[in-house]
Amino acid sequence: MTKSKKITLSASRDIPFNKLVLSQANVRHVKAGVSIEELAEDIGRRTLLASLTVRPVLDDEGAETGMFEIPAGGRRYRALERLVKQRRLNKTAPVPCIVRTDGLAEEDSLAENIQRAPLHPLDQFRAFQTMREKGKSEEEIAAAFFVSVNVVKQRLKLAAVSATLLDAYAEEEMTLDQLMAFTVNPDHERQEQVWDAIKQHYNKQPYEIRRMLTEGAVRASDRRAQFVGLDNYVEAGGEVLRDLFQTDDGGWLQDATLLETMVTEKLNEEVEAIRAEGWHWIEVGTDFPYGHTYDLRRIRGEAQPMSEEEEKTYEALKTEYDKLEDDYAEEDELPEEIDERLGEIETAMEALQNRPIRFEADDYAIAGAFVSIDGSGGLRVERGYVRPEDEPAVEAEDDPEGTTVDPDTDDATTDAPDPVTDQDEDEDDDGTKPLSDRLVCELTVHRTMALRDALANDPQLAMLAFLHAMVLQLFYHYGQDSCVEISPRSTQFGSQAPNLGEAAYVQSIDLGIETWAGNLPKAPEDLWNALTEWDSDSRDALFAHCVAMTVNAVQEPHHRKPRQIAHADILASTLGLDMVKAGWTPTADSYLGRVTKAQILAAVREAKGDKDADRIAGLKKPDMVEAAEELLAGTGWLPQPLRTVPLAADPYEPEFEIVDDGGVAPDEASVEDEEAALQAAE
């Protein structure tokens, strides 16, 4: 039996730095990993942790020259070189080296880089945790390894996940993205429950893990959380879950019961101040459905004028603002302090301009207010609404000719004239008797026709009369002060589309209504004079707004309007309406949760392709809806009823291919909706 030859390791020795040179045999040419600067700082802190691999430099005759080249360890050499140039290391300082003479230099370089096993991420997480337990702060750990503090927090968060899950990650049973998703909930028992539930399931996506771990929680971006304030919620003992690896909008509030209690208490506190104003009634709620005020008359209060002192302050601020703008008008960019001061002045001027609204004593006696929370978490108070049952009674007025006004309809009814009396009037009457109804009717018919002729030849005045009639109908519930018999109808929506009030375009039109209503006179009889005093641009803008309020392009199962819908399509094309730019997105509430699984897959397939659609095809509907919402985000996909066909195209040719749902039956909710619609139509 032959003895195996014993291995002899390469000799190691300390070689002065100035005797080392880089080798052309180093296989690393692409920069990767830690920078030379960071490596130099690390060597400066901890000294050199790994020896350099070197080979003697030989002359033409094969004799050693006393110099050594480095085929493996070039980055460490560059870092040492940087320290020498900074005079933090002597150029003759001894450097630990392993001297190689056998084989090829390129082989040494390649072997060192290939055979080096990278550190498993879990080992890094646990190492950071061990350092933290030994007293190192997060900032110190970050500085030692040239990473941000947030990276250290993320690694520590990962290391704090249940040991069972860490073992699963080490055995490659789960991905790093999945492990990161488990950090949103620190409860190890709950983490393990979720892992047991999904590890045999088809859908192990990180978003599904986060969803399951945050069930029952309230997003910090929710209006209720914003209204109460996260700090106040935490101070009251509430817990907030955070996700260090994704944008979480502030996290999830775990105690929904505590949050509701705090919301109710704060709303009740705010209501007391509103109640003290003396309103006839007050309704309080976290939110009210869109259109809850449509059937109510709105009383417009008057802004309280500025005091003399406030007017002086406002003028002083305006003067300063104008001067600063003039002084820096030629500058490309404002100095920071000037920009900050302009912002302060704007804020102060807006505060002075936003005057408290003052109502009459009689208004408080019949009107009320809605108190709720707006979309950004602020208090919303809608004052001055009168319910029909609280409207003051209007007595029927009889005029000398027998004309009475029905208070419910405002329609005039005239007693029929006595034809005999009308024809046999006493010619010797002294003239004090009023004209007969029949004669007045005949005369005013002539006047009406003459008015029509005159108005037909004055387009500008005709538009003013049209505008006057529309504004009376749309802004004054009881205004009947126009002889122009045009009745614009503004259909109000709310119940047909949940959460309608959250859409940006709805908020824009509502803001327009509020703005115009605030600029119009309180009494309808003053409207004509007010409109005649406005400039043409203002009247045109109001005209456009009034016309816009009458648009109705809603498709309802019990009211088919093909010609009206066709015109709506033409109008949308002419305007270049883009519902994506307008702000509509396919979410669970707006679309995905309301259609069949086949229709969800068709949407994903159209927007993202077959691969993504096939990936979620096996999911249950709630999971499919959530996955599809994430996949469709930012794609610009729209369902067919929201698409606008360009004018150049055939208006009856769909812009996208309509995908057949394959004959899959709709879910139960969809069937119920269709049955209810059919019953309503019958």
Side-chain angles (χ1 to χ4, degrees):
M1 182 176 178
T2 57
K3 282 188 176 182
S4 60
K5 186 178 180 181
K6 299 293 183 182
I7 297 172
T8 302
L9 299 178
S10 299
S12 62
R13 56 184 282 195
D14 290 343
I15 300 174
F17 176 79
N18 61 351
K19 297 295 182 180
L20 300 173
V21 293
L22 284 177
S23 170
Q24 296 300 315
N26 194 312
V27 300
R28 184 189 292 274
H29 297 289
V30 180
K31 294 181 180 179
V34 179
S35 69
I36 299 298
E37 294 79 4
E38 290 176 353
L39 182 57
E41 290 301 318
D42 190 72
I43 293 173
R45 182 182 293 109
R46 279 185 281 264
T47 74
L48 193 64
L49 299 180
S51 300
L52 305 181
T53 298
V54 301
R55 285 176 173 270
V57 176
L58 306 178
D59 59 18
D60 294 339
E61 297 177 359
E64 294 187 9
T65 61
M67 298 294 291
F68 295 84
E69 63 179 1
I70 306 168
R75 295 179 68 255
R76 279 164 282 165
Y77 173 81
R78 291 293 191 196
L80 293 170
E81 183 180 46
R82 181 178 178 83
L83 293 172
V84 170
K85 288 180 179 179
Q86 293 175 345
R87 298 189 178 182
R88 297 168 63 188
L89 180 71
N90 290 328
K91 62 182 180 180
T92 57
V95 178
C97 298
I98 295 174
V99 182
R100 293 268 300 149
T101 55
D102 296 335
L104 299 175
E106 289 81 1
E107 184 182 353
D108 295 345
S109 176
L110 188 61
E112 179 175 288
N113 285 283
I114 288 180
Q115 294 177 8
R116 179 191 303 157
L119 186 68
H120 193 282
L122 185 55
D123 292 328
Q124 184 193 44
F125 308 158
R126 287 170 169 164
F128 279 4
Q129 189 178 44
T130 301
M131 294 175 68
R132 188 74 179 88
E133 290 170 353
K134 290 184 177 181
K136 290 284 187 180
S137 69
E138 293 168 354
E139 289 75 13
E140 288 173 327
I141 297 173
F145 293 96
F146 306 99
V147 295
S148 69
V149 174
N150 191 53
V151 167
V152 174
K153 288 181 178 179
Q154 289 177 342
R155 300 298 184 263
L156 293 173
K157 190 87 169 177
L158 286 166
V161 171
S162 163
T164 302
L165 272 63
L166 292 178
D167 291 341
Y169 173 57
E171 296 298 323
E172 298 184 353
E173 294 177 19
M174 74 166 66
T175 66
L176 179 59
D177 286 340
Q178 290 171 329
L179 183 67
M180 290 190 297
F182 278 101
T183 65
V184 300
N185 191 329
D187 186 341
H188 286 185
E189 184 178 352
R190 180 59 182 153
Q191 290 175 356
E192 292 170 11
Q193 288 174 352
V194 171
W195 176 239
D196 289 339
I198 72 163
K199 63 183 178 181
Q200 303 301 330
H201 195 272
Y202 175 81
N203 183 21
K204 300 178 185 177
Q205 294 298 319
Y207 61 77
E208 176 64 11
I209 296 171
R210 290 186 179 89
R211 185 191 67 78
M212 295 176 69
L213 288 170
T214 57
E215 279 181 333
V218 179
R219 296 295 298 241
S221 56
D222 186 279
R223 70 178 70 206
R224 295 167 295 169
Q226 295 291 315
F227 179 64
V228 168
L230 277 183
D231 292 340
N232 294 330
Y233 167 80
V234 173
E235 190 177 336
E239 183 182 359
V240 180
L241 298 182
R242 296 303 308 268
D243 190 345
L244 291 178
F245 300 93
Q246 283 197 348
T247 302
D248 60 8
D249 294 327
W252 295 266
L253 282 65
Q254 284 291 91
D255 197 335
T257 303
L258 172 63
L259 177 63
E260 287 295 342
T261 301
M262 295 181 70
V263 168
T264 301
E265 290 175 353
K266 186 172 180 181
L267 269 176
N268 288 336
E269 291 174 6
E270 299 284 0
V271 164
E272 288 307 310
I274 310 301
R275 202 183 305 280
E277 296 174 8
W279 295 105
H280 180 51
W281 54 264
I282 291 180
E283 279 197 28
V284 184
T286 304
D287 187 25
F288 292 107
Y290 183 76
H292 63 286
T293 62
Y294 280 154
D295 294 331
L296 308 181
R297 178 167 65 94
R298 179 78 179 272
I299 296 175
R300 301 289 172 183
E302 294 182 356
Q304 185 175 326
M306 292 186 193
S307 65
E308 195 173 320
E309 184 177 346
E310 286 174 330
E311 286 183 353
K312 289 181 180 178
T313 302
Y314 183 84
E315 288 302 323
L317 289 169
K318 190 172 185 310
T319 300
E320 182 184 357
Y321 188 91
D322 292 342
K323 184 177 185 307
L324 288 173
E325 278 206 322
D326 290 341
D327 291 346
Y328 292 91
E330 303 299 325
E331 299 289 338
D332 293 333
E333 188 173 347
L334 290 173
E336 186 176 345
E337 64 277 8
I338 299 300
D339 189 42
E340 185 177 340
R341 178 55 185 160
L342 287 172
E344 292 173 354
I345 295 173
E346 284 179 347
T347 302
M349 290 172 67
E350 285 176 6
L352 287 169
Q353 286 177 313
N354 292 332
R355 310 303 301 158
I357 303 300
R358 185 173 55 190
F359 293 85
E360 301 294 336
D362 293 343
D363 297 337
Y364 289 105
I366 61 172
F370 295 94
V371 181
S372 59
I373 304 171
D374 65 23
S376 61
L379 186 72
R380 174 190 288 156
V381 182
E382 301 168 281
R383 296 176 172 86
Y385 287 94
V386 184
R387 293 167 170 165
E389 60 268 25
D390 294 326
E391 288 290 354
V394 179
E395 295 183 3
E397 298 178 358
D398 295 330
D399 88 324
E401 294 294 324
T403 302
T404 61
V405 178
D406 185 337
D408 295 326
T409 65
D410 284 348
D411 291 334
T413 59
T414 306
D415 295 335
D418 183 350
V420 176
T421 305
D422 190 34
Q423 294 174 5
D424 300 332
E425 288 184 19
D426 187 358
E427 295 181 1
D428 295 329
D429 196 338
D430 60 5
T432 58
K433 183 178 179 180
L435 297 176
S436 68
D437 291 337
R438 170 166 292 186
L439 181 56
V440 170
C441 179
E442 290 180 7
L443 294 174
T444 52
V445 165
H446 285 277
R447 183 173 185 267
T448 297
M449 297 308 294
L451 266 176
R452 289 184 179 183
D453 182 54
L455 198 58
N457 289 285
D458 193 334
Q460 290 187 341
L461 195 59
M463 180 179 172
L464 177 58
F466 185 22
L467 175 61
H468 177 251
M470 283 202 300
V471 174
L472 283 172
Q473 293 283 334
L474 296 172
F475 286 91
Y476 298 87
H477 281 253
Y478 305 98
Q480 297 291 334
D481 297 71
S482 175
C483 65
V484 178
E485 293 183 335
I486 292 173
S487 298
R489 184 174 64 184
S490 181
T491 303
Q492 311 301 345
F493 309 108
S495 59
Q496 297 97 325
N499 302 319
L500 183 63
E502 301 298 324
Y505 37 87
V506 176
Q507 293 174 358
S508 176
I509 197 73
D510 285 349
L511 177 61
I513 292 172
E514 286 292 315
T515 302
W516 286 118
N519 290 328
L520 295 172
K522 242 179 137 176
E525 57 268 24
D526 297 330
L527 178 61
W528 179 265
N529 289 337
L531 292 179
T532 57
E533 293 173 1
W534 284 13
D535 59 72
S536 59
D537 289 342
S538 299
R539 286 201 296 263
D540 288 348
L542 178 57
F543 182 81
H545 186 86
C546 289
V547 173
M549 289 174 67
T550 69
V551 171
N552 185 355
V554 177
Q555 300 184 41
E556 298 176 282
H558 58 278
H559 187 197
R560 305 289 180 182
K561 307 169 289 188
R563 293 184 179 180
Q564 191 170 330
I565 298 306
H567 177 254
D569 292 340
I570 294 172
L571 185 61
S573 298
T574 306
L575 289 167
L577 179 66
D578 185 337
M579 289 300 294
V580 174
K581 292 181 180 177
W584 191 92
T585 54
T587 64
D589 291 334
S590 69
Y591 182 78
L592 298 170
R594 319 279 296 283
V595 298
T596 66
K597 292 175 67 175
Q599 289 166 323
I600 295 173
L601 292 175
V604 173
R605 183 169 284 108
E606 186 178 25
K608 299 286 289 183
D610 292 339
K611 183 178 179 181
D612 284 311
D614 293 342
R615 183 167 62 81
I616 67 172
L619 302 181
K620 293 182 179 179
K621 184 169 181 181
D623 300 331
M624 182 184 289
V625 167
E626 187 167 354
E629 184 172 334
E630 185 173 310
L631 288 168
L632 292 176
T635 63
W637 181 87
L638 292 171
Q640 196 66 35
L642 296 185
R643 297 176 182 177
T644 299
V645 180
L647 278 177
D650 183 349
Y652 298 100
E653 185 71 25
E655 182 181 355
F656 293 89
E657 178 186 358
I658 300 176
V659 182
D660 188 0
D661 63 10
V664 180
D667 57 24
E668 294 178 2
S670 298
V671 172
E672 291 174 1
D673 290 342
E674 291 178 5
E675 289 176 352
L678 288 172
Q679 290 174 6
E682 293 171 355

